[in-house]
Amino acid sequence: MNKKNFFQVGVLLILTLIFGLFAYNSDFGYDALEYLVIGRSMNDGYEMYDFIPSKSWLWYVFVQHAINLLGGDFTHFQVTLLITLLFSSIGISTFYVVDKISKNQKTAFVATFLTLLSCFFMEMNFLEPEAPIAVLAIWSCFFLSRNTNTYWLFGGILLGIAMCFKSIAMFYVAGAGFYLLYECFIIRQSNFWQITQKGTLFILGFTIPLGLSLLYFYSINRLEQHIYWSYIYPFGSYPAHTIFLKKLLTKTFWLLLLTFFSLLLAFYHRKHFFTNFVFSLSVFLGIFSLTSLLKSQASHYLFPAAPFFSIIIAMVYSYYSDIFAKKIKQIYLFVGSLALLVAIITFISRPDVIKRLFHVNDFAIDKTYNHTVNRYLKKGDKALLIDFGSLFYFHSHVYPNVPFINTEMQTSDYIKRHVNVYEKSLQDTSLKLVIFGYRPSVIDDSSKVNTPENKEALDKLRKGLQEKFIPEKDSILYITLWHRKPNL
């Protein structure tokens, strides 16, 4: 290993260690608690779709088995280890694939560094399905770059598997499809028959994992739930909003800015860049993966684009750094100034995030969450935890007698057709504890709290609690606990 390679490996290794500490101190994260509760529930005898998922089925199965391989206790250390392994797999995959398809180690290193740096700003320090989706997309790009019919089939299969993690993988498919049209009609590197062959095999490969999923859930009589929560809800019923837009732009402006200027610089030498397969495909995959931002602007929605935007930036940087070798110091000064600006903005806007790099969290509060829920429960008792539901479900290791573990948008969608769900839950005598009424927003999905269905369901919940339960104000967490009355 020469000095240059040693330096690159050292930088990526140090970045991984820093990320591991950052992820550990970040706690589980809101979304991750749902994934962990549903993943662990399958160890406890529940099946997929016993609880409403917010992502596609394979993600929960992956979380279940990955944590089991790491010890099976669903501890902070095991979850952080899984997140860090996913981080490493993103880095290794990016470096290997970009090195092979660009035949330029400098490009590979810069693309890898930027992709891994994006993980800090796009919520990859939490357990998110965008991590394996990005890995699968990177390897799909590797197969597509072979540019033969058979390899386009393999590339489609990988994106089909990614779709089983989360529906946003569909937008990669659209990007690849538009690239084929670009290749045929704009740069004319293939004829219509050639792109038809590649496109057909690509779509065939993409549908293979989805078809196998349909057959499996049909065989266990869960096909209707699978189709609804994997396809109909995310593409049709999931509401669009702009709640996180400002936060997204603040956290990721540096990558968007670098990508924008890189595309401008590439345009000046468009014959070099926009006829290059790797560059052009990265543009299409990256831009089309942004389609999911039309629904939500949570920063992890941007991560599927990060590896491909990083490739764009890295290829432009490598090209211009060779041309302006004598001015490389000025280039480094610009990049360093941008990095300093990012650090300053991060410190000003989120000083608590910076603190995650300088201590080790003891998570002492976790025992309090557990004790609060379990102190009056016996084995087999159920709990309906609406306030901070997934947090309490996870730490107490209890389950509800309703098919959801939070009251997010997908639960509001479910309640449209099941307005009696809370009422029936309270009638079940195995339900011994309810946590409800502490938060001003009442439920997680504050945008739908006043819809007729939610209002009716919540009114029935309040009425049932008054009739069958006794309220208690917790002296430690200051939340309202409802305990079932004797003989009710």
Side-chain angles (χ1 to χ4, degrees), residues 33-232:
L33 287 165
E34 180 219 319
Y35 311 147
L36 292 167
V37 170
I38 295 180
R40 186 171 62 187
S41 75
M42 291 187 282
N43 283 346
D44 296 332
Y46 290 88
E47 295 182 355
M48 190 65 213
Y49 299 115
D50 281 346
F51 297 111
I52 295 171
S54 63
K55 306 298 183 291
S56 296
W57 69 274
L58 187 56
W59 174 236
Y60 299 94
V61 175
F62 173 83
V63 169
Q64 174 202 10
H65 290 293
I67 296 294
N68 288 346
L69 286 172
L70 296 175
D73 295 325
F74 287 75
T75 63
H76 283 277
F77 176 76
Q78 289 171 355
V79 174
T80 302
L81 182 56
L82 175 56
I83 293 170
T84 307
L85 288 172
L86 286 170
F87 179 86
S88 300
S89 68
I90 292 168
I92 293 169
S93 298
T94 303
F95 189 88
Y96 180 86
V97 169
V98 177
D99 184 41
K100 290 294 183 182
I101 63 180
S102 70
K103 297 178 175 58
N104 188 319
Q105 197 173 86
K106 183 199 296 185
T107 300
F109 173 73
V110 174
T112 303
F113 180 79
L114 292 174
T115 300
L116 294 181
L117 189 63
S118 299
C119 292
F120 288 84
F121 295 88
M122 298 180 187
E123 299 175 341
M124 292 301 103
N125 50 306
F126 301 115
L127 197 59
E128 293 289 355
E130 281 78 7
I133 286 174
V135 171
L136 289 164
I138 291 163
W139 281 100
S140 177
C141 185
F142 173 78
F143 284 114
L144 299 184
S145 69
R146 305 296 92 180
N147 216 18
T148 64
N149 293 347
T150 303
Y151 283 115
W152 273 74
L153 174 69
F154 292 151
I157 290 173
L158 290 179
L159 292 184
I161 296 172
M163 181 78 173
C164 294
F165 278 91
K166 191 175 180 180
S167 56
I168 61 173
M170 171 68 78
F171 302 120
Y172 283 133
V173 178
F178 273 89
Y179 168 77
L180 286 176
L181 296 176
Y182 172 80
E183 182 179 87
C184 178
F185 296 107
I186 305 299
I187 59 176
R188 300 186 183 279
Q189 291 181 349
S190 298
N191 59 44
F192 186 73
W193 172 239
Q194 289 173 322
I195 68 162
T196 300
Q197 288 179 299
K198 287 189 287 190
T200 301
L201 288 171
F202 179 68
I203 294 299
L204 175 62
F206 178 71
T207 58
I208 288 173
L210 306 183
L212 293 174
S213 299
L214 292 171
L215 289 174
Y216 170 73
F217 286 108
Y218 175 79
S219 71
I220 63 170
N221 200 31
R222 293 292 177 97
L223 181 61
E224 182 180 351
Q225 295 96 319
H226 171 65
I227 292 175
Y228 188 81
W229 294 115
S230 292
Y231 305 107
I232 296 175

Side-chain angles (χ1 to χ4, degrees), residues 22 342-359:
F22 183 66
V342 170
I344 291 172
I345 290 176
T346 303
F347 183 77
I348 293 173
S349 61
R350 294 292 302 277
D352 57 308
V353 172
I354 301 296
K355 292 178 182 178
R356 296 176 194 172
L357 300 172
F358 299 101
H359 77 289

